[in-house]
């Protein structure tokens, strides 16, 4: 007779004793093989909040797909921003194995290595999330992100993929219809590269907490605000006090990274490694398309309503801002050799897809 045990929630052999026969031994072996092939659960912390659209969309639509793509060998549990460690500490937590991986906006890591600021949000650079996803997936962005990770984790974190899923709009309480209209405007902006670009364009960047954006717009403390995607700005009521939103946006497109502890990564088969990378990019392209769809629907609704003027900058104004921004990228890139390399990698890809002529 052989006994029985439970592994997780899967019964490998029944609790009651059974006769020691050829059939029972075969059944036991099959059960043990099934246990050996049980799913690897990866605990991944995100920089999304629990109630965010992105969290719900990924959880409901895409988490089930990774199990399907790996025939049940891998499952992912996403936990919200700060659930285990602060977002800025996720590289160290993944390296130490406290987290199996992260799904985080790399802007949080700019204080660790300036290259992360370039890789995290090349202000006024790309026109669409798909362009920047292409840079990561096919244009050398992953390799560049890996170098940044190695510089702060000594090779203990593997970068699986990277890229953004949304393009932020710019809510404004006064019309800013062209590049020239930026002159003299007070714009709420985070410090760093974004503020430098706005200032170089003739605006006056104002550093205030995100939680104070609504009040600052309502009271006229700022004329416009670096806030979030159109759908999020709509949900928080910003257009009630800033009825001249610039959409599609002209500035920010924050990039995410998907990493896994290097030792954990090496323990996975090449097939499952490829499945994880494919799954992430498929999810991000799909989420980018969904956010774009929602943004467009809301912008069209608002434009038709008459109370909100949705401003879409002409291409020549977008090109002017990109040229001004480029000088600020190059200045920021002097902060480290890796930041310079990151900028050169972006510029090479941007020229390849026609965003720059030289």
């Amino acid at each position: 007779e052989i006994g029985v045990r439970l592994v997780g929630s899967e019964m490998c052999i029944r609790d009651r004793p059974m006769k020691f026969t050829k059939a029972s031994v075969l059944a036991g072996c099959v059960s043990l093989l099934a246990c050996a092939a049980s799913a690897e659960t990866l605990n991944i912390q995100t920089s999304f909040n629990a109630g965010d659209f992105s969290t719900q969309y990924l959880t409901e639509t895409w988490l089930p797909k990774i199990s399907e793509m790996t025939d049940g060998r891998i499952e992912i549990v996403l936990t919200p921003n700060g659930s285990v460690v602060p977002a800025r500490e996720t590289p160290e937590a993944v390296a130490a194995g406290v987290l199996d991986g992260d799904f985080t906006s790399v802007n949080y890591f700019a204080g660790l290595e300036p290259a992360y600021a370039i890789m995290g949000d090349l202000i006024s650079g790309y026109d669409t999330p798909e362009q920047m996803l292409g840079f990561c997936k096919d244009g050398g962005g992953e390799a560049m992100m890996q170098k940044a990770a190695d510089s702060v984790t000594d090779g203990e974190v593997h970068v699986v993929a990277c890229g953004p899923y949304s393009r932020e709009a710019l809510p404004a309480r006064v019309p800013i219809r062209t590049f020239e209209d930026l002159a003299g405007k007070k714009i709420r902006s985070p410090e760093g590269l974004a503020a430098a670009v706005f200032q170089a364009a003739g605006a006056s960047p104002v550093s205030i907490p995100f939680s104070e954006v609504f009040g600052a717009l309502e009271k006229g403390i700022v004329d416009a605000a670096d806030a979030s995607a159109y759908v999020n700005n709509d949900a928080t009521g910003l257009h009630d006090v800033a009825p001249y939103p610039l959409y599609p946006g002209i500035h920010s497109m924050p990039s995410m990274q998907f990493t896994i502890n290097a030792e954990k990564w090496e323990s996975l088969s090449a097939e499952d490694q490829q499945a994880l990378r494919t799954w992430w990019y498929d999810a991000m392209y799909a989420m980018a398309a969904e956010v774009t769809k929602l943004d467009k629907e809301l912008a069209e609704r608002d434009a038709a309503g008459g109370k909100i003027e949705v401003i879409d900058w002409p291409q020549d104004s977008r090109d002017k801002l990109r040229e001004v921004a480029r000088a600020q990228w190059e200045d920021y890139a002097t902060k480290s050799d890796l930041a310079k390399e990151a900028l050169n990698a972006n510029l090479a890809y941007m020229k390849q897809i026609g965003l720059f002529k030289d």
Side-chain angles (χ1 to χ4, degrees):
E1 294 183 346
I2 52 178
V4 179
R5 63 189 179 87
L6 289 170
V7 177
S9 61
E10 298 294 327
M11 181 176 285
C12 294
I13 310 174
R14 287 188 292 272
D15 278 323
R16 49 188 170 79
M18 60 190 293
K19 295 292 184 181
F20 189 77
T21 65
K22 183 183 290 186
S24 67
V25 170
L26 180 60
C29 288
V30 170
S31 296
L32 288 171
L33 286 172
C35 284
S38 61
E40 175 81 44
T41 300
L42 301 177
N43 293 300
I44 308 295
Q45 181 175 300
T46 76
S47 56
F48 303 130
N49 294 318
D52 285 354
F53 161 80
S54 47
T55 303
Q56 296 175 9
Y57 179 78
L58 290 168
T59 300
E60 295 170 5
T61 306
W62 284 94
L63 289 190
K65 292 184 186 295
I66 190 60
S67 182
E68 296 171 11
M69 293 172 68
T70 60
D71 293 327
R73 292 185 299 274
I74 295 179
E75 293 180 356
I76 289 177
V77 174
L78 289 180
T79 59
N81 192 4
S83 55
V84 179
V85 298
R88 66 181 180 278
E89 296 177 12
T90 55
E92 295 92 334
V94 174
V98 175
L99 294 168
D100 293 322
D102 83 327
F103 189 159
T104 305
S105 170
V106 299
N107 287 310
Y108 283 106
F109 316 138
L112 301 175
E113 162 56 54
Y116 276 121
I118 300 292
M119 294 297 293
D121 195 347
L122 199 62
I123 303 297
S124 304
Y126 295 94
D127 281 334
T128 69
E130 288 79 7
Q131 289 173 344
M132 198 170 174
L133 281 164
F135 165 63
C136 274
K137 185 172 181 285
D138 303 311
E142 279 178 21
M144 195 65 246
M145 201 75 85
Q146 185 66 63
K147 288 184 179 182
D150 290 345
S151 74
V152 299
T153 67
D154 197 26
E156 294 179 340
V157 169
H158 179 81
V159 175
V160 182
C162 59
Y165 72 94
S166 71
R167 178 182 187 176
E168 294 185 352
L170 188 79
R173 67 189 305 273
V174 297
I176 305 175
R177 297 191 175 94
T178 65
F179 170 80
E180 288 74 18
D181 288 343
L182 284 173
K185 299 298 188 298
K186 295 172 294 191
I187 300 180
R188 180 268 172 184
S189 171
E191 296 178 357
L193 192 53
V197 170
F198 281 127
Q199 186 165 18
S204 299
V206 180
S207 178
I208 59 174
F210 185 81
S211 60
E212 297 177 15
V213 167
F214 185 97
L217 285 166
E218 184 179 37
K219 297 172 184 176
I221 296 172
V222 295
D223 299 307
D226 181 330
S228 188
Y230 197 101
V231 63
N232 293 330
N233 294 340
D234 174 81
T236 54
L238 288 185
H239 299 148
D240 294 338
V241 293
Y244 300 95
L246 275 63
Y247 170 83
I250 60 168
H251 64 305
S252 183
M253 199 181 300
S255 186
M256 313 290 290
Q257 70 170 16
F258 177 37
T259 73
I260 293 192
N261 172 274
E263 185 176 352
K264 178 77 71 173
W265 177 256
E266 291 301 325
S267 72
L268 302 176
S269 69
E271 180 183 6
D272 288 344
Q273 289 176 350
Q274 183 57 48
L276 280 166
R277 182 176 183 268
T278 299
W279 168 81
W280 195 87
Y281 279 116
D282 285 352
M284 290 296 277
Y285 274 106
M287 188 156 66
E290 184 66 15
V291 170
T292 298
K293 174 176 172 289
L294 292 173
D295 282 355
K296 186 172 183 290
E297 289 174 352
L298 288 171
E300 289 176 350
R301 179 205 67 185
D302 290 344
K307 294 182 178 180
I308 294 173
E309 179 185 341
V310 180
I311 297 173
D312 182 1
W313 264 20
Q315 190 59 49
D316 67 324
S317 283
R318 295 177 182 276
D319 292 342
K320 288 176 183 177
L321 183 59
R322 182 178 288 117
E323 286 293 347
V324 167
R326 182 175 179 175
Q328 302 308 310
W329 307 338
E330 291 172 348
D331 182 65
Y332 197 92
T334 62
K335 294 180 179 291
S336 77
D337 291 341
L338 207 56
K340 181 63 174 177
E341 187 177 352
L343 178 58
N344 287 339
N346 274 282
L347 288 174
Y349 187 76
M350 294 171 83
K351 290 174 186 176
Q352 179 183 326
I353 63 174
L355 291 178
F356 282 116
K357 294 180 180 179
D358 53 38

